[in-house]
Structure formats: structure tokens, C-alpha cells
């Protein structure tokens, strides 16, 4: 008989159950996979807990953790109950008999298929929506903590007369609750409607009524709850008008009520609130009326009202009332915005003074003499000379300096001195041989501070180091020089165990050390080792013999990372800077409290506002923002990170800030009082750059107090682009010790310039007193230039430098061969009614890969000079000799006499040239012994030249080294001698 089965004949293969051994293996693998995932999750949690405990901020970890857990469970359970209850209720209200229709017959198959799993399905759905809702709610831990711990601002908004804390702390939480309520209502409606449809309570194609009375009542109540929530939203929207952004003059990032808001939107929201309440009551009434007619009519009326009252009516008011007479209508609201914005950003105390921009004194000698008392002009640009520090003070390839150095001040002989400073940090890219042991056990830390005078250079154009060599020595005295925590220290190290660390190298070979601090997490516990092996994806941590008793793992090692981790509620400044304080190297980090809920204050985007030509080329200087858009900011916390122990300390700086007080209530004991700041630390605190950049951006518009002027836009300024490079980004602010016209003495200041919008002439000069601990700290002064005359701005000054024929020719000669010219910071100094511009010019060339100061550009009152030294340039501009801007001292050869007039110097430089040539010949022959001898001879010759010039300077006064046509100092070896190369 033929096979009618439709398939090939022959024996059939039956697939049986897997064997017992296979099932056991699969179960074992499954259990191991679950355990592996569980341990991975545990490893992340456990290592975080260990780290916070190691820095003594475990309370931050536990408070944050329990807050997240609490929000997760509370709102997850609420959402699960809401959805689950409505599914259960819809199932319970199902009709006993379903209609005999094709639609219901098709649904019978689904009902029968899920019948055995109804409970599990219900639990699965509710668990899923609960998990999603809980995860979303846990992300609101900051909002919850600010609401429950909120402190009064003591200021009321001008419209509703409510304390600012309502908008900053309460309203965000109410909006979250409202959003959660909407989500719960919508999900409940969807879940209930699907359940009613599945069990016949709702019908789409069946004849007869489309919904049972029970389904109608159930869904009406849920929709009524949704509409009631919409009524609450309309009511909260009334207050939200005080903090909402609008497109009014978009460049102002306007926040707060305008005329149309107060006279159209505000009454419209009130009317819509009343309509929504009535509509919600109509939906609730359906329980008894069992008809959708009135609720649907009410809902349609609410939608129509929202379009007409909430949209069309305000547009009519704007078109026919505001636009024909905008200034008169908007002026009262602009005044509120002006006042609130100035208060919120701390610029309400800004002092604006008219400034002529042209010199008043004809006595050039007096003007020349006044320069030194007016400003300590910094010609060492910290953003240029890092390669010079690197080449001269790196010492070993496994050390490196930051791309941008920092400016601080240190006392010398009782007088503060502007100082360029950097740390010699570990650079793993430069270690001789890379492997796991070298990367994480042997090369673990940097060594020492390198500092130089900001106001002078030596005869070769190099920095005048006040702290140098390895180990570092100089003016800073004795301090712990090992740098385990720094801006370039981005990987983990394991220290303190059996494996010795390389400390530093000198002529006697490598020195080793073992970490003695108590920083980091102890790895003697096998559970800790296993957790870190998993967390870091490095199994060798678990079994390496280099880890033993006393081994500790150091990570999260950059200052910004550590401060952000222990205070996740702060916004961190982009520029941490080092200082030697009480025998320790301390990283100082400025931190901000922010909110975007300050009524009437215009918003700003921190990432955009704090960007300049330095952040464009160095991401490490970017602000670390928790809240990118803000309309209130305070430098409320000064933080320190010990470079050796990693200890983080937070100090309360702004004692009046209500946002900080709120966070201090939420995290008690984490912030120390301002009185705990030591005198030594206070001497190094300064006004932060990112706050200054935010304030200067706001002051381009908010320097005016008159609403009419503000609306006209005639006084709008802009921060000019940096003319010294081609980044196209804003000029960075500069730290400078200087004296404003109303000050009696120099103060450490942060300065910037403004130009009119779309033009290059100068509008204003701004400075803030940056010296902490003084009465004027934080005082902002603006010198406003007249609008009826033109005063050159930075770009024009730079163009003037470049266009003068003799200067252009000199720069062309400096660029001769393979040399490159780099322009330093263009400093602006108010002087006797005029403005003094100073710009150092650096040259890389002649075989050197680092910049040396070769010239200084100076202009004042239309006179420009391009000379070898600052003193020479000032003398030429003013046509008079004056005292040296930087008094020479031992080893300082800022103003050397001409080499041709000093045979001792000339002989020393000739010896240096011979030693340099001998070194080059030795390099060609790979004769390292001869090369080392030549380098020693070179250093000795240069030292003799410097000593001789310093002696001549003391004996015969100051004069500038003559320049050869190729731009090199007279008598210097061709191309300038290369320093001793790094090992």
C-alpha cells in the first residue's frame, strides 16, 4: 500500500527527553550562571561600600542607597497595586455570559489559553510595571531629599508671594508625584480596558451595547481620576509660570512671567482648572448614571477650552496688546527678571564705574613708575609653558605635568608672589616596560611640586623656578612630595604590600618605597580581592603573589572624581589646582550648589557658559555638572583632596546658601564648618573660574538695571574670542595681582574684557577680588568704557601687534627655520584712565620642543613696543626708564646686561656652545658616556653665565639682551642648548 502520510517512508526518529546526566549538567550551568550574575551585582555594590568606607563618607553611600531603595519599593508597590487592582477588578466585573458572536468566539480561545495561568500572569504584569516605576522613582532621590529637607530662602517671589524654596524644593517633587499619578492612571485605564475587552465587558463588533454597565462605571472612574489629575496640573501650572522658560528674547533664556503670562495664561489656567474639576465630577457621576454622554461632552469642552483659552486667547493678547507697545507692557516684568537674575547669580553687588579708556597723566615717567604698583604683570602663561616644565623638570619619562598649569600665590620675604605651579604626576605612557606589575604596583605615584615666578623669566626665556629638581627643593620648604592622587592619575594602583614601588631615581640609582598611608581598600580579605577582580575585570587581583598583607587598592584618584563621589549633590568646577598646605600637597576643588527653580531668574547652560579657548582643547577643564541648566548658583563648598592620603574634606564656604543648608540636613556631618579652614589653606583659596565665567556671561546683559535699556538691547556686550589662538572660543579669564582704580593696593584678581555685540572695540573691563579671607573677596567691579569713543579691544590690539611693519618683521624672523611663535595671555591692566595691554611671545625652535619667552608686546595710549623684556617694552612705550617690574634677586636674570658688554658671560656662553656641539657629536656616535660629560659641562657653563649676568645686573642695572637677526639672544648657543634629556 502506498504511504498516504505525505512524508517519506522509513523508520521515524523520536526525540526523547535529555538524559539525567545532561539535565544535571544543564541545571548546574544554569545555577552557576545565576550565581555569577548575582556575584557580579554583589561585587559592584560591595566595592562601592568599601570605597566610601575608606574615605570616611559611608553615610553618603547609605543615605543615598536607602533613599533609592525606599523610593523604589514605595512607588514600585504603588504602581503594581494600582495596575494589579484594576486588572483584578475588571476581571471580577466581567459579564457572566458572553454574547454569541464571532468576536467573542475568537476571544474564547485566548481566555481558555490563559485561564490556568491567570494568577501568574497578573503577578508578572504587576511585577513588571512595578519594577519600571520603582526604577524611575529611585532616580528622583535628589528631588525627594531636597523636598523633605528643604530650608527657607527667606525671599518671596514677586507674583505669588511664596518663598523661593517652594519653587526650588517643593514644586519639583509635586511635579514628580503628578507625573507618577498620570502614569498610574493611564496604565490602569489600558490594563482595565484590555481586561474588560478580553472577558466581554467591552465589545467592538458585537451587536448590542458596546460596554457593560460595570465596565462603563469602572473606566469612567479611572478617566475621572486622570481628569482630576489634569486639574491639579493646571493649578500647579499657575506657579510653574514663575519658573518656566519662554521664547521671549531667546538669547536671554528668559524665566518668569511676562505680561501675557500674568494677564492671559494665569487666568486661563485658573479657568481650565475649574473646567477640569467639573469634568472629573461628571466622569465620577457615571457610576450612577451609567452613560458616557455628559462626561464626553465635558471632556470635549475641556479640550476646546484648552485650545481657545489656553492657546488662542494668549496669542491674541500678545499680538494686539503687547506687540504694539512692548516696552511699556513688559517693563514691570523685566524689572522683576533683572532683580531676580542678579540675586540668583550673586551679581547684584556688581559695581559699574565709568572709565574713560584714555590716559589722564602726561608725565610719562610717573606713569612708568606706576606700572609696578598697579599690577604684577604675569609673563609666564600657565597655558603655554607646560611643555617647558615638562622638558626641564620632567626628569624621568614616567612623570608628566598637566597640559595647563595653575596660578597661585606664595609669600617670599613677606610679599605675595604670583606663581605658576604644577605637580610632577605619574605618566604610565612613559614607563620603560608596560606590564600589569609595572602599571599597577611599581609605578604608582608622582613626585614633587615644580613652581616658577609668574612675573619673570631667565636669560634663556625659561621660567625662574622657585621649586624644582627631584626631589623638589626651593622656597616651599619641607612637605610630603609623593603624589598618589592627581589630575593625570586615572588608573588604579595596588600599594603597601610585598611589591616595592619606585619612588624616584637620582645619580645613585632608583629609590624604592612602600605606601604608608591608610588610603584605599585593604585587599588582605579574599572576598575583597574576588570582588575587585570582578569589578575591575582583572582576575590576577584574585591570585597574584604581588598582593599580600598590607596591600591596598587605590582608585577614583582624580580630585574631581573623589569630590563628586563623596558629594554627588554638588557641581564641580573644571579646574582643580594644587597647593602646599601645612606640609602636604592639597588639591583644592571649588564646588557649587545649583537649582533651576529660582523664580524669574534666567537660565544658563553650564556646559556652554563655562566653555572657552582652554576647554576647547582640554576636556579636563570642563565643568562637572549634575544639573546642566541652572538659574541659581553659589560657590558654597571649598573641598580639598590630599595628594598623598587621598583624604577628602568639604568646607562650608557660603554660610547663607539655603541649598547647601538643605543638603547638609540630608547628609549631616559631611560638610565641615568654615571656621575649620586653616590660615595656611585660606591663603591659597581663590575665586573660582567657572563661577566667574557664568557671571561674566550674565553680565553681558544684566549689567544694566533699567528695563528700558535692557529691552532696547543697546547695551548688550559679548565675551570676545581669544585672539591669541584659532580655536574661535571665548577668551579665558586670567588670574592677576592688580589694583583697580578704587583700590589702594594690589589684590589677587580674576579679570576679563567685554566688547559690543558684533564689534571688536572694548566695552568694559571686569575684575573680581579673588583673594579669599579679605573683606572685598567676591566683589565684582566693571569699568565701563564710553560709547561715543572707540577704545581698542583684544582682537584689535592683537591685529595692531601683527600689522606693525617692524613687529611683523621681527615675528617673521622668529619664525625662521623650523621655529614656531606662540602668543601668551593677552593681559589687560587699567592704568591712569587708560588700558595697558601686555602679551608675552614664546618661540619653539632650533631643535627645542618647548616654548621659551623671547619677546614681550606692550601697548598703551597708541604706543606699541616689541622688546626682549617687559621692562624694555614698558620703557619704550612710556619713553622713560622706570624701576624693574620684578626686582632681580639671586639667580634671577630677567633683565641681563647685553652679553657683548660682559666678557665673563660671553666666555661662559662660548663654553656652553662648545659643550652643546660636543654633546651632538656624542649623540651621533651613540657615545653616552661622552654625551653625559658634555651635558654636565653645558649645565656648568650655563650656570656660570647666569651667575655672571646676575652679578652684572646687581652692579650695573638692568638692560635687555640684544637680539640677533634670527631672534635668538646674543651669545646663546645656536638653537639654544638642549637640556639634559629625560631618562
Amino acid at each position: 500500500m502506498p504511504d498516504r502520510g505525505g512524508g517519506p517512508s522509513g523508520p521515524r526518529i523520536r526525540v526523547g527527553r535529555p538524559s539525567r546526566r545532561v539535565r544535571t549538567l544543564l541545571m548546574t550551568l544554569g545555577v552557576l550562571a545565576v550565581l555569577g550574575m548575582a556575584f557580579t551585582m554583589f561585587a559592584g555594590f560591595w566595592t562601592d561600600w568599601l570605597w566610601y568606607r575608606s574615605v570616611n563618607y559611608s553615610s553618603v553611600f547609605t543615605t543615598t542607597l536607602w533613599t533609592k531603595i525606599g523610593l523604589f519599593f514605595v512607588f514600585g508597590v504603588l504602581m503594581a497595586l494600582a495596575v494589579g487592582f484594576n486588572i483584578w477588578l475588571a476581571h471580577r466585573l466581567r459579564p457572566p455570559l458572553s454574547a454569541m458572536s464571532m468576536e467573542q468566539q475568537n476571544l474564547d480561545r485566548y481566555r481558555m489559553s490563559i485561564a490556568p495561568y491567570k494568577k501568574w500572569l497578573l503577578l508578572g504584569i504587576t511585577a513588571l510595571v512595578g519594577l519600571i516605576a520603582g526604577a524611575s522613582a529611585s532616580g528622583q532621590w535628589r528631588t525627594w531629599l531636597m523636598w523633605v529637607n528643604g530650608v527657607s530662602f527667606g525671599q518671596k517671589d514677586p507674583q505669588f508671594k511664596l518663598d523661593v524654596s517652594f519653587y526650588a524644593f517643593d514644586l519639583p517633587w509635586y511635579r514628580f508625584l503628578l507625573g507618577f499619578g498620570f502614569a498610574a492612571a493611564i496604565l490602569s485605564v489600558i490594563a482595565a480596558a484590555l481586561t474588560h475587552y478580553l472577558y466581554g465587558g467591552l465589545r467592538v463588533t458585537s451587536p448590542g451595547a458596546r460596554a457593560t454597565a460595570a465596565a462603563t462605571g469602572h473606566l469612567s472612574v479611572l478617566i475621572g481620576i486622570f481628569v482630576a489629575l489634569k486639574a491639579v496640573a493646571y493649578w500647579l501650572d499657575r506657579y510653574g509660570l514663575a519658573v518656566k522658560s519662554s521664547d521671549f528674547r531667546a538669547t536671554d533664556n528668559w524665566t518668569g512671567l511676562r505680561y501675557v503670562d500674568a494677564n492671559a495664561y494665569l487666568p486661563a489656567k485658573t479657568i481650565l482648572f475649574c473646567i477640569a474639576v467639573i469634568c472629573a465630577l461628571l466622569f465620577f457621576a457615571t457610576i450612577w448614571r451609567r452613560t458616557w454622554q455628559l462626561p464626553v461632552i465635558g471632556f470635549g469642552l475641556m479640550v476646546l477650552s484648552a485650545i481657545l483659552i489656553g492657546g488662542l486667547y494668549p496669542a491674541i493678547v500678545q499680538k494686539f496688546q503687547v506687540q504694539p507697545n512692548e516696552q511699556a507692557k513688559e517693563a514691570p516684568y523685566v524689572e522683576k527678571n533683572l532683580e531676580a537674575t542678579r540675586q540668583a547669580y550673586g551679581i547684584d553687588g556688581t559695581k559699574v564705574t565709568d572709565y574713560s579708556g584714555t590716559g589722564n597723566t602726561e608725565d610719562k615717567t610717573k606713569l612708568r613708575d606706576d606700572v609696578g604698583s598697579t599690577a604684577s604683570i604675569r609673563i609666564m602663561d600657565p597655558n603655554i609653558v607646560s611643555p617647558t616644565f615638562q622638558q626641564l623638570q620632567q626628569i624621568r619619562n614616567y612623570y608628566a605635568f598637566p597640559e595647563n598649569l595653575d596660578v597661585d600665590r606664595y609669600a617670599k620675604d613677606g610679599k605675595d608672589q604670583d606663581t605658576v605651579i604644577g605637580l610632577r604626576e605619574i605618566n604610565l605612557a612613559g614607563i620603560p616596560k608596560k606590564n600589569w606589575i609595572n602599571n599597577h604596583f611599581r609605578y604608582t605615584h608622582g613626585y614633587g611640586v615644580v613652581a616658577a615666578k609668574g612675573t619673570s623669566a631667565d636669560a634663556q626665556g625659561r621660567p625662574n623656578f622657585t621649586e624644582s629638581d627631584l626631589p623638589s627643593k626651593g622656597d616651599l620648604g619641607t612637605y610630603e612630595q609623593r603624589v598618589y592622587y592627581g589630575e593625570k592619575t586615572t588608573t588604579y594602583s595596588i600599594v603597601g604590600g610585598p611589591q616595592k614601588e619606585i619612588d624616584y631615581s637620582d645619580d645613585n640609582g632608583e629609590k624604592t618605597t612602600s605606601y604608608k598611608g591608610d588610603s584605599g581598600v585593604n585587599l588582605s580579605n579574599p572576598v575583597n580581592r574576588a570582588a575587585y577582580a570582578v569589578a575591575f575585570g582583572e582576575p590576577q587581583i584574585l591570585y597574584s603573589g604581588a598582593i599580600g598583607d598590607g596591600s591596598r587598592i587605590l582608585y577614583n584618584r582624580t580630585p574631581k572624581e573623589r569630590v563628586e563621589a563623596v558629594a554627588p549633590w554638588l557641581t564641580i568646577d573644571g579646574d582643580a589646582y594644587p597647593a602646599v598646605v601645612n606640609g602636604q600637597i592639597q588639591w583644592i576643588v571649588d564646588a557649587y550648589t545649583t537649582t533651576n527653580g529660582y523664580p524669574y531668574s534666567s537660565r544658563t547652560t553650564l556646559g556652554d557658559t563655562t566653555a572657552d579657548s582652554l576647554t576647547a582643547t582640554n576636556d579636563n577643564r570642563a565643568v562637572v555638572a549634575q544639573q546642566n541648566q541652572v538659574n541659581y548658583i553659589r560657590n558654597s563648598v571649598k573641598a580639598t583632596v590630599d595628594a598623598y592620603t587621598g583624604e577628602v574634606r568639604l568646607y562650608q564656604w557660603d554660610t547663607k546658601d539655603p541649598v547647601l543648608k538643605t543638603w547638609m540636613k540630608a547628609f549631616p556631618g559631611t560638610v565641615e564648618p568654615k571656621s575649620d579652614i586653616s590660615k595656611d589653606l585660606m591663603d591659597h583659596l581663590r575665586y573660582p573660574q567657572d563661577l566667574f565665567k557664568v557671571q561674566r556671561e550674565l553680565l553681558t546683559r544684566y549689567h544694566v538695571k533699567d528695563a528700558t535699556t535692557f529691552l532696547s538691547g543697546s547695551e548688550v556686550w559679548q565675551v570676545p574670542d581669544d585672539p591669541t589662538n584659532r580655536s574661535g572660543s571665548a577668551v579665558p579669564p586670567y588670574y592677576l595681582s592688580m589694583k583697580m582704580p578704587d583700590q589702594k593696593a594690589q589684590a589677587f584678581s580674576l579679570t576679563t574684557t567685554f566688547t559690543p555685540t558684533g564689534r571688536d572695540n572694548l566695552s568694559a573691563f571686569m575684575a573680581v577680588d579673588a583673594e579669599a579671607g579679605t573683606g572685598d573677596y567676591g566683589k565684582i567691579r566693571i569699568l565701563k568704557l564710553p560709547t561715543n569713543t572707540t577704545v581698542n579691544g583684544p582682537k584689535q590690539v592683537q591685529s595692531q601687534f601683527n600689522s606693525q611693519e617692524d613687529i611683523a618683521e621681527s615675528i617673521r624672523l622668529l619664525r625662521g627655520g623650523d621655529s614656531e611663535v606662540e602668543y601668551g595671555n593677552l593681559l589687560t591692566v587699567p592704568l591712569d584712565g587708560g588700558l595697558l595691554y601686555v602679551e608675552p611671545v614664546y618661540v619653539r625652535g632650533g631643535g627645542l620642543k618647548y616654548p621659551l619667552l623671547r619677546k614681550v608686546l606692550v601697548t598703551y595710549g597708541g604706543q606699541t613696543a616689541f622688546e626682549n623684556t617687559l621692562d624694555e617694552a614698558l620703557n619704550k612705550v612710556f619713553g622713560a626708564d622706570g624701576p624693574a617690574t620684578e626686582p632681580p634677586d639671586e639667580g634671577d636674570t630677567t633683565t641681563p646686561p647685553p652679553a657683548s658688554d660682559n666678557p665673563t658671560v660671553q666666555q661662559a656662553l662660548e663654553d656652553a656652545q662648545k659643550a652643546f656641539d660636543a654633546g651632538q657629536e656624542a649623540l651621533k656616535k651613540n657615545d653616552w658616556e661622552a654625551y653625559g660629560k658634555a651635558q654636565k659641562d653645558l649645565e656648568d657653563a650655563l650656570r656660570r653665565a647666569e651667575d655672571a649676568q646676575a652679578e652684572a645686573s646687581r652692579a650695573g642695572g638692568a638692560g635687555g639682551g640684544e637680539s640677533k637677526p634670527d631672534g635668538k639672544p646674543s651669545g646663546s648657543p645656536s638653537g639654544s642648548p638642549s637640556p639634559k634629556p629625560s631618562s
Side-chain angles (χ1 to χ4, degrees):
M1 294 288 293
D3 183 6
R4 299 182 184 275
S9 59
R12 296 184 179 182
I13 300 174
R14 299 183 62 185
V15 179
R17 296 177 63 190
S19 66
R20 186 171 183 177
R21 177 180 295 179
V22 172
R23 294 200 306 272
T24 302
L25 178 61
L26 291 174
M27 288 181 63
T28 302
L29 292 175
V31 170
L32 289 176
V34 171
L35 290 176
M37 288 188 293
F39 188 78
T40 300
M41 295 173 62
F42 166 78
F45 163 81
W46 185 242
T47 53
D48 285 347
W49 161 248
L50 292 173
W51 186 87
Y52 275 96
R53 192 174 64 175
S54 73
V55 293
N56 298 318
Y57 282 90
S58 55
S59 62
V60 174
F61 179 82
T62 55
T63 299
T64 305
L65 178 65
W66 286 116
T67 302
K68 289 180 178 179
I69 291 174
L71 291 172
F72 177 87
F73 276 103
V74 169
F75 287 95
V77 169
L78 286 175
M79 183 65 78
L81 288 176
V83 175
F85 172 75
N86 282 286
I87 293 175
W88 172 83
L89 184 60
H91 179 266
R92 185 178 177 85
L93 296 175
R94 68 191 184 278
L97 297 174
S98 58
M100 297 301 295
S101 66
M102 185 62 66
E103 179 185 20
Q104 293 303 312
Q105 289 176 10
N106 290 332
L107 290 174
D108 278 341
R109 290 182 297 172
Y110 294 104
R111 287 193 286 263
M112 293 177 63
S113 63
I114 67 173
Y117 311 106
K118 284 193 293 188
K119 291 183 179 179
W120 292 108
L121 188 61
L122 177 63
L123 288 174
I125 292 173
T126 55
L128 179 62
V129 297
L131 286 172
I132 295 173
S136 176
S138 66
Q140 298 294 322
W141 64 271
R142 291 185 179 89
T143 307
W144 161 260
L145 287 176
M146 292 182 79
W147 178 68
V148 78
N149 296 287
V151 172
S152 172
F153 273 69
Q155 295 173 308
K156 297 183 183 298
D157 78 283
Q159 180 67 40
F160 301 103
K161 310 303 179 185
L162 295 174
D163 192 88
V164 173
S165 61
F166 171 79
Y167 302 94
F169 306 141
D170 300 343
L171 191 58
W173 178 249
Y174 297 153
R175 288 195 180 280
F176 164 72
L177 292 178
L178 190 62
F180 178 83
F182 275 126
I186 292 171
L187 289 175
S188 296
V189 168
I190 294 172
L194 290 174
T195 305
H196 281 299
Y197 175 71
L198 181 63
Y199 287 97
L202 292 177
R203 293 185 288 276
V204 177
T205 62
S206 300
R210 299 298 184 189
T212 64
T216 300
H218 183 197
L219 293 176
S220 294
V221 170
L222 290 177
I223 297 174
I225 291 173
F226 176 86
V227 176
L229 289 172
K230 187 60 179 175
V232 176
Y234 282 133
W235 189 256
L236 285 181
D237 284 347
R238 298 169 69 254
Y239 303 108
L241 291 172
V243 290
K244 81 174 183 71
S245 296
S246 68
D247 58 358
F248 175 64
R249 300 189 178 275
T251 55
D252 295 329
N253 296 306
W254 182 275
T255 303
L257 283 80
R258 297 182 288 141
Y259 180 89
V260 69
D261 296 314
N263 295 278
Y265 280 111
L266 187 56
K269 297 292 184 183
T270 305
I271 295 171
L272 289 171
F273 164 75
C274 296
I275 294 174
V277 170
I278 295 171
C279 187
L281 293 175
L282 291 176
F283 274 105
F284 293 143
T286 307
I287 298 176
W288 297 280
R289 292 180 57 85
R290 305 295 184 181
T291 175
W292 291 81
Q293 186 176 6
L294 286 178
V296 170
I297 293 174
F299 189 78
L301 176 62
M302 187 180 75
V303 173
L304 183 62
S305 300
I307 296 172
L308 296 178
I309 303 174
L312 185 59
Y313 173 63
I316 293 173
V317 171
Q318 178 68 25
K319 180 70 174 177
F320 294 102
Q321 291 190 35
V322 177
Q323 288 185 4
N325 192 15
E326 185 180 48
Q327 288 202 0
K329 296 291 186 182
E330 299 288 12
Y333 304 96
V334 170
E335 289 177 357
K336 295 174 184 178
N337 176 267
L338 286 170
E339 182 180 359
T341 302
R342 291 167 67 87
Q343 289 176 347
Y345 290 95
I347 57 178
D348 49 327
T350 300
K351 181 180 179 181
V352 181
T353 307
D354 290 334
Y355 194 71
S356 66
T358 56
N360 301 318
T361 302
E362 296 183 2
D363 186 347
K364 300 298 184 181
T365 302
K366 182 179 184 304
L367 274 177
R368 175 63 183 89
D369 293 342
D370 287 345
V371 172
S373 61
T374 301
S376 297
I377 298 173
R378 177 168 47 77
I379 57 175
M380 279 290 113
D381 186 346
N383 308 310
I384 295 289
V385 300
S386 179
T388 308
F389 273 51
Q390 186 84 358
Q391 187 68 27
L392 300 180
Q393 288 296 319
Q394 179 189 24
I395 311 298
R396 295 290 181 265
N397 284 340
Y398 48 81
Y399 294 133
F401 291 93
E403 184 177 342
N404 302 102
L405 302 175
D406 290 289
V407 177
D408 201 350
R409 60 253 187 255
Y410 287 86
K412 178 72 179 294
D413 299 328
K415 181 182 178 182
D416 283 345
Q417 176 176 273
D418 286 4
T419 302
V420 177
I421 187 171
L423 298 191
R424 194 183 284 113
E425 296 187 43
I426 194 69
N427 173 32
L428 293 182
I431 64 177
K433 182 179 181 181
K434 293 183 179 180
N435 55 53
W436 189 63
I437 294 295
N438 280 344
N439 290 355
H440 300 289
F441 290 81
R442 287 176 56 76
Y443 296 92
T444 59
H445 60 278
Y447 208 99
V449 173
V450 176
K453 292 181 180 181
T455 53
S456 65
D458 70 8
Q460 306 299 318
R462 301 173 302 187
N464 271 324
F465 291 110
T466 58
E467 185 81 9
S468 59
D469 298 335
L470 183 68
S472 295
K473 54 184 177 292
D475 295 346
L476 301 185
T478 302
Y479 58 95
E480 173 55 66
Q481 298 199 19
R482 297 172 182 87
V483 180
Y484 282 88
Y485 295 88
E487 290 180 304
K488 300 179 74 68
T489 315
T490 56
T491 189
Y492 71 90
S493 289
I494 299 176
V495 299
Q499 177 66 57
K500 291 292 186 180
E501 311 161 45
I502 292 177
D503 205 19
Y504 64 89
S505 299
D506 58 17
D507 293 339
N508 298 319
E510 286 184 349
K511 308 291 184 182
T512 60
T513 189
S514 187
Y515 185 65
K516 301 297 191 298
D518 58 359
S519 183
V521 177
N522 197 318
L523 292 181
S524 58
N525 186 326
V527 176
N528 291 357
R529 293 177 66 170
Y532 278 102
V534 171
F536 288 3
E538 183 47 72
Q540 292 186 79
I541 294 177
L542 185 60
Y543 55 77
S544 174
I547 302 175
D549 290 341
S551 291
R552 310 182 72 85
I553 185 168
L554 313 180
Y555 61 104
N556 287 351
R557 297 170 71 183
T558 69
K560 288 193 287 187
E561 276 182 325
R562 295 180 78 77
V563 175
E564 188 182 26
V566 303
W569 34 273
L570 290 173
T571 297
I572 311 303
D573 190 272
D575 184 27
Y577 61 98
V580 177
V581 178
N582 297 321
Q584 297 289 124
I585 300 174
Q586 297 283 349
W587 288 100
I588 300 175
V589 183
D590 285 287
Y592 310 105
T593 47
T594 61
T595 180
N596 61 1
Y598 196 99
Y600 275 96
S601 172
S602 291
R603 288 190 172 92
T604 187
T605 304
L606 290 181
D608 296 337
T609 309
T610 58
D612 58 28
S613 61
L614 297 183
T615 60
T617 57
N618 185 359
D619 290 338
N620 290 332
R621 296 181 71 93
V623 65
V624 181
Q626 294 291 352
Q627 236 178 346
N628 204 26
Q629 272 233 330
V630 304
N631 67 353
Y632 170 94
I633 187 170
R634 289 291 185 272
N635 176 213
S636 53
V637 171
K638 300 284 189 181
T640 62
V641 177
D642 192 292
Y644 182 75
T645 66
E647 179 188 25
V648 181
R649 301 185 72 173
L650 308 176
Y651 296 99
Q652 183 182 15
W653 185 247
D654 190 331
T655 57
K656 298 179 181 179
D657 177 29
V659 181
L660 177 60
K661 291 179 180 178
T662 296
W663 286 119
M664 289 174 69
K665 280 182 64 179
F667 296 95
T670 56
V671 181
E672 302 178 42
K674 187 175 183 179
S675 57
D676 286 359
I677 299 177
S678 67
K679 171 65 169 60
D680 201 5
L681 175 59
M682 184 69 76
D683 289 342
H684 296 282
L685 299 182
R686 67 189 191 190
Y687 202 81
Q689 285 187 348
D690 284 334
L691 176 60
F692 183 78
K693 285 188 278 189
V694 170
Q695 290 174 327
R696 75 171 178 178
E697 180 63 31
L698 267 296
L699 282 167
T700 59
R701 304 180 302 280
Y702 287 90
H703 62 277
V704 301
K705 299 181 180 180
D706 177 68
T708 303
T709 306
F710 184 86
L711 285 167
S712 71
S714 61
E715 290 289 333
V716 176
W717 301 335
Q718 66 182 12
V719 179
D721 290 342
D722 191 345
T724 64
N725 62 47
R726 299 178 182 177
S727 68
S729 300
V731 62
Y734 296 123
Y735 286 107
L736 184 68
S737 290
M738 57 165 291
K739 180 174 66 175
M740 290 289 275
D742 65 333
Q743 292 179 294
K744 295 181 179 180
Q746 291 184 22
F748 193 62
S749 304
L750 196 52
T751 66
T752 192
T753 53
F754 295 112
T755 59
T757 300
R759 296 170 58 194
D760 295 324
N761 57 290
L762 198 67
S763 285
F765 174 82
M766 172 179 166
V768 63
D769 194 319
E771 198 161 340
T774 61
D776 279 350
Y777 172 82
K779 184 174 182 178
I780 300 174
R781 297 174 173 89
I782 293 179
L783 302 180
K784 182 182 176 185
L785 279 300
T787 56
N788 57 352
T789 60
T790 300
V791 178
N792 286 342
K795 186 176 181 180
Q796 292 172 324
V797 170
Q798 189 68 47
S799 298
Q800 186 181 47
F801 285 156
N802 297 336
S803 62
Q804 288 198 16
E805 186 175 342
D806 56 338
I807 295 178
E809 177 64 18
S810 296
I811 291 176
R812 188 187 67 78
L813 291 173
L814 289 175
R815 286 198 175 108
D818 61 351
S819 297
E820 298 176 7
V821 171
E822 296 185 30
Y823 295 102
N825 37 222
L826 179 56
L827 301 176
T828 308
V829 178
L831 178 66
D832 188 51
L835 292 162
L836 175 70
Y837 285 97
V838 178
E839 182 178 78
V841 177
Y842 299 83
V843 176
R844 295 182 192 234
L848 294 179
K849 301 302 181 183
Y850 59 92
L852 297 175
L853 180 66
R854 287 297 186 225
K855 295 282 187 177
V856 180
L857 285 160
V858 173
T859 185
Y860 181 85
Q863 298 297 316
T864 302
F866 186 59
E867 301 298 326
N868 295 334
T869 68
L870 175 60
D871 286 330
E872 287 181 354
L874 291 171
N875 292 344
K876 183 174 180 180
V877 163
F878 292 105
D881 292 343
T885 55
E886 175 71 16
D889 57 16
E890 189 69 31
D892 184 346
T893 54
T894 309
T895 53
S900 57
D901 295 341
N902 192 326
T904 305
V905 174
Q906 184 68 30
Q907 181 61 51
L909 290 176
E910 289 176 0
D911 292 344
Q913 181 68 62
K914 292 177 182 177
F916 175 76
D917 294 340
Q920 297 302 305
E921 287 297 322
L923 277 176
K924 293 177 183 178
K925 299 176 182 178
N926 289 327
D927 187 344
W928 297 107
E929 183 178 352
Y931 179 77
K933 182 178 182 303
Q935 290 299 298
K936 188 174 184 306
D937 293 342
L938 175 61
E939 290 178 0
D940 290 342
L942 290 176
R943 189 177 297 108
R944 283 190 284 112
E946 291 176 0
D947 291 344
Q949 284 191 324
E951 183 64 31
S953 177
R954 285 192 294 271
E962 298 294 332
S963 289
K964 290 183 179 181
D966 62 359
K968 302 180 180 68
S970 175
S972 63
S974 176
S976 296
S978 297
K980 185 176 180 180
S982 302
S983 299

